[in-house]
Amino acid sequence: MHYIKSIGPNYAGVYYLNGDKAEYVGGTLKGNRLTFTTNHFSSFAVMEYRKSFADMTGNWAADYVQKLAAKHLVNGLDEHTFGPKLAVTRADFATMAVRALGYDAEQGTASPFSDVKADAY
């Protein structure tokens, strides 16, 4: 457990420090306390992640998208583009739901859907 005093609650998260990269673990912030669960002893850090996308500037949903990106529930089309005018596909919705439930991003299993390409997420 960590005490959080000056970090944005909608942007805070726990990250596993794995060598030279930080992997998002999640965490639950209640008041000024952030809790998380892990199955290994390692180095962890509480960090604030504020991702912005160039095509979201001035968009009514920019704040919501930034908060969802901070929790790693949504990604952009690339590092700088979100695609706010694109429709949410079945795959997009399923991916967000699975991430929100806290499942691992990649399980290495083939898609059971015949209309989904093998390299699609």
PDB file of all heavy atoms in Angstrom, residues 105-110:
ATOM      1  N   ALA A 105      -3.417  -8.746 -21.636  1.00  0.00           N
ATOM      2  CA  ALA A 105      -3.680  -8.259 -22.987  1.00  0.00           C
ATOM      3  C   ALA A 105      -3.511  -9.341 -24.046  1.00  0.00           C
ATOM      4  O   ALA A 105      -4.242  -9.384 -25.011  1.00  0.00           O
ATOM      5  CB  ALA A 105      -2.767  -7.082 -23.303  1.00  0.00           C
ATOM      6  N   GLU A 106      -2.552 -10.239 -23.836  1.00  0.00           N
ATOM      7  CA  GLU A 106      -2.306 -11.259 -24.850  1.00  0.00           C
ATOM      8  C   GLU A 106      -2.312 -12.635 -24.208  1.00  0.00           C
ATOM      9  O   GLU A 106      -1.601 -12.892 -23.264  1.00  0.00           O
ATOM     10  CB  GLU A 106      -0.972 -11.007 -25.535  1.00  0.00           C
ATOM     11  CG  GLU A 106      -0.919  -9.636 -26.158  1.00  0.00           C
ATOM     12  CD  GLU A 106      -0.067  -9.585 -27.387  1.00  0.00           C
ATOM     13  OE1 GLU A 106       0.351 -10.643 -27.869  1.00  0.00           O
ATOM     14  OE2 GLU A 106       0.163  -8.484 -27.862  1.00  0.00           O
ATOM     15  N   GLN A 107      -3.115 -13.516 -24.737  1.00  0.00           N
ATOM     16  CA  GLN A 107      -3.186 -14.872 -24.222  1.00  0.00           C
ATOM     17  C   GLN A 107      -2.619 -15.890 -25.191  1.00  0.00           C
ATOM     18  O   GLN A 107      -2.471 -17.038 -24.874  1.00  0.00           O
ATOM     19  CB  GLN A 107      -4.643 -15.240 -23.883  1.00  0.00           C
ATOM     20  CG  GLN A 107      -5.240 -14.405 -22.776  1.00  0.00           C
ATOM     21  CD  GLN A 107      -4.561 -14.629 -21.448  1.00  0.00           C
ATOM     22  OE1 GLN A 107      -4.166 -15.740 -21.127  1.00  0.00           O
ATOM     23  NE2 GLN A 107      -4.392 -13.591 -20.668  1.00  0.00           N
ATOM     24  N   GLY A 108      -2.350 -15.456 -26.436  1.00  0.00           N
ATOM     25  CA  GLY A 108      -1.745 -16.341 -27.421  1.00  0.00           C
ATOM     26  C   GLY A 108      -2.686 -17.368 -28.022  1.00  0.00           C
ATOM     27  O   GLY A 108      -2.255 -18.368 -28.560  1.00  0.00           O
ATOM     28  N   THR A 109      -3.985 -17.127 -27.959  1.00  0.00           N
ATOM     29  CA  THR A 109      -4.929 -18.070 -28.548  1.00  0.00           C
ATOM     30  C   THR A 109      -5.483 -17.509 -29.847  1.00  0.00           C
ATOM     31  O   THR A 109      -5.573 -16.302 -30.029  1.00  0.00           O
ATOM     32  CB  THR A 109      -6.099 -18.359 -27.579  1.00  0.00           C
ATOM     33  OG1 THR A 109      -6.750 -17.117 -27.273  1.00  0.00           O
ATOM     34  CG2 THR A 109      -5.593 -19.002 -26.303  1.00  0.00           C
ATOM     35  N   ALA A 110      -5.849 -18.372 -30.734  1.00  0.00           N
ATOM     36  CA  ALA A 110      -6.402 -17.972 -32.023  1.00  0.00           C
ATOM     37  C   ALA A 110      -7.834 -17.475 -31.854  1.00  0.00           C
ATOM     38  O   ALA A 110      -8.548 -17.891 -30.955  1.00  0.00           O
ATOM     39  CB  ALA A 110      -6.369 -19.153 -32.982  1.00  0.00           C
TER      40      ALA A 110
END
